[in-house]
């Protein structure tokens, strides 16, 4: 220890005698000794975890750092994980994956290999970019649903997912449509006024109507479960979450 301390003090003394130009040359000479490739030095599973937080541009750059970094990214299937992360956080990625049928490939890493996902990622981004451009330019393929209402054909509210569309109509009904075929699969009746607002989850549909009532239905069977009477005028809007529902009405109250 004393030898190391003596050597350090000796070098410090030399540095004190040097000019700025010599300091710069010493700095350049020491840099290679001070650099540490912590990604290569860490256990591979730790390095994979660190690199998994990178976005697509940073991941591309990381692959170019060294053969070892590229190997870690490949072994960890980090391009696949990046796609999965986008699918889990962005609904448009999930819908596109189901439509293009690559979403099922995300759980078959051993079959497709790392290079497949690396090539798939820019294709997905390009697909999304083209879809966005089509929206901006109005180059869309529209499909129309004939609501077949008896009294009128007004649609006041709707909500949809990857399988179905649920709509509230002016003819007092709630109609459920298959998203692929656009066929009416279920019609819920019970309201005596137009259905102005609605929300559903995996278990129930809740609707509000101009008849001042709120009704709760089974989302799978369409069976009426409950009717709530509180407002004295049309229910204009409602929302529910975690067992709590809030509604507002034309009677100027919020319940």
């Amino acid at each position: 220890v004393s030898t190391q301390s003596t050597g350090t003090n000796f070098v410090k003394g030399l540095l004190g005698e040097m000019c700025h130009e010599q300091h710069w040359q010493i700095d350049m000479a020491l840099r290679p000794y001070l650099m540490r490739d912590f990604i290569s030095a860490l256990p591979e599973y730790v390095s994979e975890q660190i690199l998994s937080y990178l976005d697509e541009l940073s991941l591309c750059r990381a692959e170019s750092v060294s053969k070892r970094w590229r190997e870690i990214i490949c072994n960890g299937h980090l391009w696949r994980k990046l796609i999965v992360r986008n699918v889990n956080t962005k609904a448009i990625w999930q819908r596109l994956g189901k439509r293009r049928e690559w979403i099922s490939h995300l759980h078959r890493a051993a079959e497709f290999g790392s290079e497949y996902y690396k090539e798939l990622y820019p294709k997905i981004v390009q697909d999304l970019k083209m879809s966005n451009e089509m929206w901006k330019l109005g180059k869309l393929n529209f499909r129309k649903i004939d609501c077949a209402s008896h009294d009128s054909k007004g649609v006041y509210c709707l909500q949809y997912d990857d399988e179905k569309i649920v709509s509230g109509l002016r003819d007092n009904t709630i109609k459920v449509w298959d998203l692929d075929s656009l066929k009416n699969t279920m019609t819920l009746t019970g309201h005596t006024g137009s259905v102005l607002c609605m929300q559903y989850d995996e278990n129930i549909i809740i609707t509000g109507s101009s008849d001042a009532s709120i009704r709760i239905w089974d989302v799978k069977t369409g069976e009426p479960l409950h009717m709530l009477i509180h407002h004295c005028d049309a229910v204009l809007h409602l929302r529910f979450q975690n067992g709590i529902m809030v509604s507002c009405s034309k009677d100027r109250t919020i319940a």
Side-chain angles (χ1 to χ4, degrees):
V1 177
S2 59
T3 305
Q4 290 180 354
S5 178
T6 302
T8 301
N9 291 331
F10 175 73
V11 171
K12 286 181 178 179
L14 287 177
L15 290 173
E17 300 295 328
M18 294 180 180
C19 65
H20 180 74
E21 176 66 22
Q22 290 171 314
H23 287 158
W24 180 83
Q25 291 177 0
I26 293 295
D27 178 62
M28 296 300 293
L30 287 175
R31 282 189 182 185
Y33 297 97
L34 298 175
M35 291 179 179
R36 291 292 183 271
D37 182 358
F38 67 94
I39 291 293
S40 298
L42 287 170
E44 187 165 309
Y45 72 93
V46 177
S47 300
E48 287 177 9
Q49 184 66 23
I50 294 170
L51 295 176
S52 71
Y53 290 100
L54 298 179
D55 58 25
E56 64 271 21
L57 181 58
S58 301
L59 200 56
C60 279
R61 290 172 175 171
E63 283 190 315
S64 303
V65 170
S66 69
K67 183 178 179 181
R68 177 57 182 155
W69 281 44
R70 181 179 175 83
E71 186 179 75
I72 293 170
I73 292 170
C74 179
N75 293 342
H77 299 283
L78 297 192
W79 283 105
R80 181 185 67 84
K81 291 178 180 178
L82 180 58
I83 296 172
V84 169
R85 190 167 75 216
N86 282 319
V87 167
N88 290 338
T89 57
K90 301 174 184 178
I92 190 170
W93 278 69
Q94 188 176 95
R95 290 196 296 271
L96 182 65
K98 290 181 178 180
R99 191 165 69 246
R100 296 287 190 258
E101 299 182 351
W102 50 256
I103 198 165
S104 62
H105 301 171
L106 299 180
H107 305 291
R108 294 151 65 184
E111 180 180 344
F112 288 94
S114 181
E115 281 301 312
Y116 168 79
Y117 299 106
K118 182 182 177 181
E119 294 173 1
L120 176 62
Y121 191 93
K123 292 178 182 177
I124 297 172
V125 172
Q126 182 62 25
D127 208 350
L128 291 170
K129 184 178 179 180
M130 288 179 63
S131 297
N132 188 46
E133 289 298 319
M134 288 176 67
W135 271 105
K136 289 180 179 179
L137 298 174
K139 296 180 179 179
L140 305 170
N141 294 322
F142 292 100
R143 295 193 296 166
K144 183 179 178 181
I145 297 176
D146 183 4
C147 292
S149 299
H150 298 297
D151 301 324
S152 66
K153 294 185 179 180
V155 178
Y156 281 142
C157 56
L158 65 81
Q159 183 182 338
Y160 71 94
D161 55 39
D162 293 325
E163 298 176 352
K164 63 184 175 298
I165 302 170
V166 182
S167 58
L169 305 182
R170 190 177 177 182
D171 69 357
N172 310 344
T173 67
I174 302 100
K175 291 184 183 290
V176 182
W177 315 84
D178 181 88
L179 189 60
D180 291 327
S181 66
L182 300 186
K183 292 182 178 180
N184 180 213
T185 58
M186 198 159 46
T187 300
L188 315 183
T189 59
H191 280 298
T192 57
S194 302
V195 181
L196 305 179
C197 55
M198 56 154 292
Q199 183 185 352
Y200 71 83
D201 62 13
E202 64 275 8
N203 298 312
I204 58 173
I205 304 172
I206 302 183
T207 56
S209 169
S210 60
D211 64 11
S213 74
I214 295 173
R215 291 177 181 261
I216 303 174
W217 320 76
D218 187 292
V219 73
K220 295 181 177 65
T221 65
E223 178 185 357
L225 302 176
H226 301 286
M227 181 174 70
L228 307 177
I229 301 293
H230 174 82
H231 295 292
C232 56
D233 208 336
V235 181
L236 302 178
H237 196 59
L238 62 83
R239 273 290 175 264
F240 69 89
Q241 185 176 357
N242 298 328
I244 297 176
M245 181 178 66
V246 179
S247 62
C248 65
S249 169
K250 195 175 180 180
D251 64 12
R252 303 181 183 180
T253 64
I254 298 173

